[in-house]
Each structure stands twice: as structure tokens, then as C-alpha cells.
Amino acid sequence: MEFESVAANLRESFRVVAAHRAAGELQEMEGVSIASAGVTFQMFNAAFLSAPVVSEGQMDLRVAQAAVHFATRGQRWAYWICHGWLDGRTRRRLQSLLRKRNLYQAVELPGMFAEDVLPPVRELPKMELQRVCDGPVKDAFCAIGSTCFNVPLAWFCEVFDSHSVWNDFAAYVGYVNGEPVSTAATVIGGGAVGVYNVATMPGRRRGGYGEAVMRHALEQARREHGLSRTILQSTPQGFELYQRMGYRTVTSVAVFCS
């Protein structure tokens, strides 16, 4: 099912980050995956469902499993829950179920899927595009992400402090006249290319820069891995753009934080 590509790729993106950090930890439980980067930013100390949930009791058990894991380590954490795994009653009761464990919904994002992206409907701007590895390009990637996602710069840099993460987390920065203005990244997993960290600096928005970097990242992934099927989780700001690119909503992803 298409939602499973969304869920599997999302898990893989966090696994990539966690696997490349000394403090990171990966663990598989019954129906639950842990991919914890061991960082200050709790969104990256993450748990995910990895199998269907058929009752409220089963959901409560899977929340308890993850809660115990992070409590024993003294870490704040987040539960990323793809609605496609849930039966109808559990989905309706999800917020109250997690509130009992002191987890509160931070955001709910459309999980979107495209077999292939459509051509652009307008001419996209010319940019210098550089792949992130280390040094000034990494610094620019983190600075743009920090600004656009309202995360302290030190937290963002901590998540991506391993040089080796860029082997599997393929990130790009777009420059205009030498100024870094936009980013995008891809991760391979679940038989699809996952798109992440699409961001454009506030003063440069609505100029097509984010779309240009994203399309470059997708083309590089297609060339390197032979994949055109792609998934993402959309912010409200990007939703109409992604629809124009051929994405459609196949699930929702709710994020609950401790």
C-alpha cells in the first residue's frame, strides 16, 4: 500500500541520522521501531509504528513500550504515527490515548505520494546547486533549516554533526549570487525516494527556489538509484506546490512530543 511507502521511508530517514551518531540508537520491538539520535531536539529521538494497530489496548501497549525505552535513558522524545496503521476507533481516540502518557500532538502532516513528478508549470530560476558534505555548505544547510523550521541552530547542527551521515542523507543547497537561499534532501527507503528539509529563506520565498532544489535532488536520486516513485510529508506552505508536482495525499502523519 502507498501509505506503507510513506511510513517506511520516514522511519528510514530517522534511522539514517541515528545510525551515524555515536549517541544514536536503533531498536526493533513488537510493532514499534526506535530510531533515536540521542540529541537535544526531541523530534529526532523518535518512535514509529511498524505494524497495524487493531485496538486501543494494542496502541496503548505500543506507546508504553516506547515510553519505557526513553524514560530509562532520560530522553525527551517524539512518536511519529502514520494513520494508515490504525483502525478507525483508535485513530479517533489517538490524542486522548497518548495524552495519558504525557504525549501531546505537535503537528499533523499530509503524507504524500507520487509515482513520478510532473514537469514544472513555470520556468524555474537558475541556481548554483551544491551537495552537502561538510564545511560551508553544511553550515549553510543547517542555518537555513534552523531559520525555516524555528529550531535553535545548535540543535540543528547537533542532529547533523556526523560527516558520514551525508553518504545516505543526500542534501543540497541552492545559491543565488553566492547567497545560500534554499535546501532539499532525499533518503532512499520503502522502495521510494523520500523528500525532506525543503526550505527557503523568508526573503526568497515564492521565487521557485525550493522547487528548483527539490527537483534537482529528485533527479540526482533517480540517476543514482533508478527510482522515480517519491514520498514526502507536506507543510501547509508547500501543499499546493506538491499537488502541482503530482503528489497526492495517501495518509496523515501525526507527531506527538513528550
Side-chain angles (χ1 to χ4, degrees), residues 103-127:
L103 290 164
Y104 299 90
Q105 184 167 307
V107 67
E108 184 176 319
L109 304 169
M112 306 186 80
F113 174 93
E115 282 291 349
D116 202 352
V117 295
L118 300 176
V121 299
R122 60 175 174 172
E123 184 176 356
L124 296 177
K126 303 297 183 184
M127 306 178 74

Side-chain angles (χ1 to χ4, degrees), residues 87-104:
D87 71 290
R89 178 174 172 81
T90 301
R91 187 180 306 169
R92 292 189 296 271
R93 297 268 299 150
L94 189 62
Q95 291 195 42
S96 61
L97 286 170
L98 272 73
R99 196 178 302 122
K100 294 177 184 177
R101 302 283 183 177
N102 295 315
L103 290 164
Y104 299 90

Side-chain angles (χ1 to χ4, degrees), residues 133-140 163:
C133 55
D134 217 336
V137 183
K138 184 187 83 167
D139 293 343
H163 176 78

